Structures are given as C-alpha cells and as structure tokens.
Amino acid sequence: MTKLTHKKFKETYFYKAELVRICRNYGLPTQGTKAELNHYIDCFLSGIPANQIKPARTYQKAPSLKMSEISLDTPLVGSGFSFNNEARQFFATYFNVKKFSFTKEMAVIKRKAEADHNLSITVGDLINRAKEMTDSKQTWLKDLPEEQTYQWNNFVKDFCNSPKSHEFNKKMKVAAILWHHVKHSTGSKQYHDRLLDQFSEDIKPYHIKNH
C-alpha cells in the first residue's frame, strides 16, 4: 500500500470499503460509519498511535431481540435491540403501517446512544426524539460528520437541483462523469456549475442541443 499522508487523505474521496482496508492496514478499528472510519484514520495520520485509537461505539454481544421481546421500555443499548426485521415489524405494528423503514434520525439517535454507552434511552425515547428531529426540518443534518461523508449523494442532488442540469439528457451519466473528475481532484467535492464548462468536452454528447 502506498504511504498515505495526512494531506493526501484529506484531499481524496474514499469509499467505505477503501476506508475499512486502510483501517485494517494500520491496525485501527474497522467497524462503524464512514465518518467514524474517517476519524480513526485522521487521528492516526495526525500522530496518535493506533493502540490509543478506540472504537467510537461499543458493539453489543447480547442476542438480537425478537419482535415479541421489544417494547417501548426496551433500552437501545445492551438489550439486543437492533435495526433488523424484528424491529421493523415492531415499528410497523406500532405505527399501524404495512411497511416500515428506519429513518436517518433513528440511526443518528442510536449511534449517539451507543457512543455514549447510554443505557437509559429506550425505544420509546427513540420514537419521540426522532419525531422531534423530523419536525425540526432536518436543519441539524448538515452539521453531522456522517452527513458530510455522503459526498456523491450530495453532489448528484446539487447537480439535479441546478437549472443547468435540464440542458442534458441522461443526467446521472453526466453527474458520474463530473464526479469522476472531482473525486480525483484535490479541490472541493461539491458540485458547482463551473464544472459544466470545465469538462464540457466530456459531457458534450449528452447535451440536448446535440440530439
């Protein structure tokens, strides 16, 4: 593996599988979100010894709970509660919906409880706090370290929200071409309309005027 400098790490976009490999290579924790893996590597490349870098969260060893074992009083941490099909069925029944999907708010709350080793927060608290966060119009999202790792998703969203994107067919193809250049550059990993001029030749075949 080529020696990775702190500067190179900060300038490069890595997929999660790549971050896991880097962590494994340096003897760092390999479980967690992209933001957590980024943090481990950042600490190591900043000079902190690998044996002093501990996992952000402790992972429970208790057997996973069945739907019938889950209640509003079930602790999120240490009880065996996890975001699996059993929990999905519990929430579907609780909310009286046919199909339930875990929300980003729920994931954030559970990760924080695990990081803090908070044994008091329950499934009922999870429901109430997730609702409060949803009602806040998600203004809190932009400040989350994990949210900042969704660079490709944000890049595509910003491209599609730009009026300039309507000048192209196969928008995802255009976004992918632009992202390829941005990902391998040392600059910002964010979309801006200047990229359309900068890489105009590469995306020219997809411009509507050319069809």
Side-chain angles (χ1 to χ4, degrees):
M1 179 177 175
T2 305
K3 180 175 175 56
L4 181 64
T5 64
H6 194 252
K7 180 175 183 295
K8 181 69 173 176
F9 177 68
K10 287 293 190 180
E11 292 175 345
T12 306
Y13 177 88
F14 292 97
Y15 293 105
K16 185 173 181 179
E18 295 173 314
L19 294 174
V20 170
R21 284 196 293 271
I22 294 171
C23 285
R24 186 173 292 117
N25 183 70
Y26 290 134
L28 303 171
T30 56
Q31 287 185 299
T33 65
K34 280 191 68 178
E36 289 166 345
L37 298 175
N38 272 319
H39 177 68
Y40 303 147
I41 298 169
D42 182 61
C43 288
F44 178 79
L45 295 176
S46 296
I48 299 176
N51 61 6
Q52 294 181 19
I53 300 173
K54 305 302 180 184
R57 293 176 284 150
T58 55
Y59 293 88
Q60 60 188 25
K61 297 180 180 179
S64 295
L65 297 177
K66 299 294 186 182
M67 174 190 171
S68 59
E69 299 173 312
I70 302 172
S71 72
L72 294 180
D73 294 325
T74 299
L76 293 187
V77 179
S79 65
F81 174 84
S82 60
F83 287 163
N84 55 19
N85 280 333
E86 298 293 328
R88 189 176 289 110
Q89 291 174 30
F90 170 83
F91 286 117
T93 301
Y94 178 83
F95 289 110
N96 194 26
V97 295
K98 186 175 181 179
K99 184 178 180 181
F100 179 83
S101 296
F102 300 112
T103 66
K104 188 174 291 186
E105 290 85 353
M106 286 181 157
V108 169
I109 294 166
K110 189 169 185 295
R111 281 199 299 268
K112 187 175 189 323
E114 291 169 342
D116 297 342
H117 198 58
N118 186 340
L119 302 179
S120 64
I121 185 171
T122 66
V123 170
D125 296 326
L126 173 68
I127 293 171
N128 293 332
R129 294 185 189 184
K131 184 179 185 305
E132 291 172 0
M133 294 170 78
T134 301
D135 292 343
S136 71
K137 309 298 184 185
Q138 297 190 341
T139 56
W140 49 272
L141 272 176
K142 62 182 176 60
D143 297 322
L144 290 176
E146 184 60 25
E147 189 67 16
Q148 295 167 18
T149 66
Y150 299 142
Q151 292 167 307
W152 158 245
N153 292 345
N154 292 331
F155 186 90
V156 172
K157 181 177 69 175
D158 291 342
F159 169 68
C160 291
N161 286 339
S162 169
K164 291 281 189 180
S165 68
H166 301 311
E167 298 177 7
F168 300 89
N169 57 28
K170 298 185 179 179
K171 288 185 181 182
M172 289 301 294
K173 179 66 176 178
V174 173
I177 292 172
L178 297 175
W179 173 249
H180 176 79
H181 289 290
V182 167
K183 185 179 74 169
H184 294 289
S185 74
T186 58
S188 166
K189 309 307 179 193
Q190 297 177 322
Y191 170 79
H192 49 80
D193 286 341
R194 294 190 301 277
L195 293 171
L196 299 177
D197 293 326
Q198 188 175 352
F199 303 109
S200 59
E201 285 302 311
D202 290 355
I203 60 178
K204 186 176 179 180
Y206 306 100
H207 201 283
I208 292 175
K209 291 180 179 179
N210 293 323
H211 293 268

